[in-house]
Amino acid sequence: MQDKISDGRSIRRWRRRLADEREEARVYRSLAARRSGEEREILLGLAEAEERHARYWEDLLGDEIGPQRRGQFRMRFLVALARRFGSVFVLALAQRAESRSPYHYDQDVPASMAADERIHEEVVRALAARGRARVSGSFRAAVFGANDGLVSNLALVLGVIGGNLSSEVVLLTGFAGLLAGALSMGAGEYISVRSQRELLAAATPDPQARAVVPHLDVDANELALVYRARGMEEAEAQRRADALLRQLRSTLPHAHQESDVTPETGRGAEASSEASDDHEVVGSGAKAAVSSFAFFASGALIPVLPFAVGLTGAVAIVASVVLVGLALMLTGATVGVLSGAAPLPRALRQLAIGLGAAAVTYLLGVLFGATVG
């Protein structure tokens, strides 16, 4: 009797595994449908791997495969997101799903299949990292702007309330804080990003340097110092320089013609490519400024809304704090999802920090109001 119960549990578990593998394959195929080139090929490769795993469970179940069932809700949710958005958030969620694979402790799973899941997690992590790099500049400005608007304006509003000022003054102060903060954030973000891009541009190898390479004295030059200055070890730098100079000797009759030989060969070319990637990660100054302005203003508007619609007293205060708390948890959860981590701890951390800062300001307002009074 016990064996029958155990067999029944095993069959039900195998059926769940089969359904989940099929859902994971759908996630990757749905994501691949919205991609092109290398990323599409990688996602299709992951889908084929999940289908291979599904065949393992089909073979294990044999005649007990039963009717086709749906996978876990989180996987079905990922499929729906992938079909509609195909964004970096879906990849981040897929990364988290792969990291929580039960195969590492399932005795019915071959070691090779459990190892596959570990590799899949790393593949999805790398794909998600590409997407994070593409959105990191504007996303950072947006999250920082929204969070700063929520916390700073709630703190400002509560501080004024703590000083026993009227609702009209609270409303005026809140809108003044919104406008001042949004303008300050936008201007600061623009200057910050522009300055960072200018620093990156200053560090990028000069493409015009390639024109002088054919004219170097092959017996006395400082080409090896270029490589050493870019971070190479002395021996490797000298080896690169010697190889380039040997190539120059073989083309001396054409030395004064346009040459494809450049001092960026090797590490220099890599540095140029890395600088270009860094520019993409930093993002555009104008986009970052607009994102920061808009999201700060959106965040700063939330604490003021209850007062703007005519609420007063304790009702307005509670409504303001609740709305800001929900918004703080949303931004925290969003960052958690994008980073591939659990969203709830990030949401609670954001909530605690934001409301803690606002509470301190409120107490200072109460103390200041009592002193003035």
Side-chain angles (χ1 to χ4, degrees):
M1 180 67 177
Q2 186 63 37
D3 289 342
K4 288 183 179 179
I5 293 174
S6 298
D7 288 346
R9 288 175 179 171
S10 295
I11 288 171
R12 288 193 295 273
R13 187 175 72 254
W14 296 347
R15 286 173 176 171
R16 285 198 304 272
R17 300 283 189 262
L18 172 60
D20 289 343
E21 291 290 1
R22 287 171 172 170
E23 292 290 357
E24 286 185 35
R26 291 190 190 99
V27 169
Y28 293 129
R29 289 200 176 277
S30 297
L31 286 170
R34 302 179 66 89
R35 297 292 199 281
S36 60
E38 185 182 40
E39 287 193 14
R40 175 182 171 83
E41 294 175 7
I42 292 171
L43 289 164
L44 289 175
L46 288 173
E48 290 168 4
E50 301 298 355
E51 288 162 356
R52 183 177 71 246
H53 292 177
R55 287 193 293 273
Y56 168 82
W57 295 113
E58 290 171 358
D59 294 340
L60 194 62
L61 283 162
D63 295 336
E64 298 291 340
I65 192 169
Q68 184 167 332
R69 57 184 291 175
R70 306 180 74 181
Q72 297 181 45
F73 172 76
R74 62 185 174 86
M75 295 310 303
R76 300 201 306 272
F77 180 62
L78 276 180
V79 172
L81 286 178
R83 286 174 176 167
R84 287 167 176 76
F85 303 107
S87 69
V88 63
F89 288 96
V90 180
L91 282 170
L93 288 169
Q95 175 189 329
R96 178 157 175 77
E98 292 285 2
S99 70
R100 298 168 65 185
S101 172
Y103 285 3
H104 313 306
Y105 52 82
D106 191 325
Q107 61 184 1
D108 297 318
V109 176
S112 60
M113 213 157 102
D116 281 348
E117 292 299 318
R118 288 289 190 191
I119 297 301
H120 294 177
E121 180 185 353
E122 293 307 310
V123 174
V124 177
R125 189 195 310 278
L127 287 175
R130 292 184 180 187
R132 291 184 185 109
R134 286 193 290 265
V135 304
S136 62
S138 296
F139 180 78
R140 175 183 58 82
V143 170
F144 181 59
N147 188 70
D148 197 22
L150 286 165
V151 175
S152 64
N153 227 28
L154 177 64
L156 181 63
V157 166
L158 292 184
V160 172
I161 291 171
N164 291 319
L165 297 178
S166 66
S167 296
E168 290 77 11
V169 174
V170 171
L171 187 61
L172 177 61
T173 302
F175 278 115
L178 183 158
L179 185 59
L183 289 171
S184 175
M185 285 288 294
E189 194 66 33
Y190 178 81
I191 292 170
S192 173
V193 172
R194 286 293 301 176
S195 299
Q196 193 170 355
R197 290 179 69 88
E198 287 165 2
L199 289 172
L200 288 172
T204 303
D206 184 358
Q208 295 181 356
R210 71 183 61 191
V212 305
V213 175
H215 303 283
L216 287 174
D217 184 333
V218 295
D219 297 315
N221 61 78
E222 289 72 45
L223 186 57
L225 297 183
V226 175
Y227 294 123
R228 290 178 63 185
R230 289 176 180 167
M232 280 190 186
E233 295 293 334
E234 182 178 358
E236 176 65 12
Q238 191 61 54
R239 188 188 68 77
R240 290 286 184 100
D242 290 344
L244 182 54
L245 291 172
R246 281 195 299 272
Q247 188 175 352
L248 277 175
R249 288 191 185 98
S250 68
T251 58
L252 276 177
H254 310 287
H256 294 285
Q257 298 177 7
E258 184 68 23
S259 172
D260 290 333
V261 182
T262 79
E264 292 182 344
T265 301
R267 173 59 191 162
E270 294 171 9
S272 180
S273 175
E274 289 169 6
S276 177
D277 292 341
D278 287 341
H279 277 274
E280 292 302 316
V281 171
V282 171
S284 160
K287 288 182 179 178
V290 170
S291 294
S292 188
F293 178 93
F295 280 90
F296 182 97
S298 300
L301 180 62
I302 291 175
V304 185
L305 276 177
F307 299 93
V309 297
L311 297 179
T312 59
V315 175
I317 295 173
V318 171
S320 180
V321 171
V322 169
L323 288 175
V324 170
L326 292 174
L328 285 170
M329 292 186 69
L330 178 62
T331 59
T334 301
V335 173
V337 169
L338 186 63
S339 64
L344 183 59
R346 303 302 189 280
L348 294 176
R349 181 181 67 184
Q350 201 92 329
L351 177 66
I353 294 172
L355 294 188
V360 170
T361 311
Y362 174 76
L363 293 174
L364 289 174
V366 171
L367 180 62
F368 182 78
T371 304
V372 171

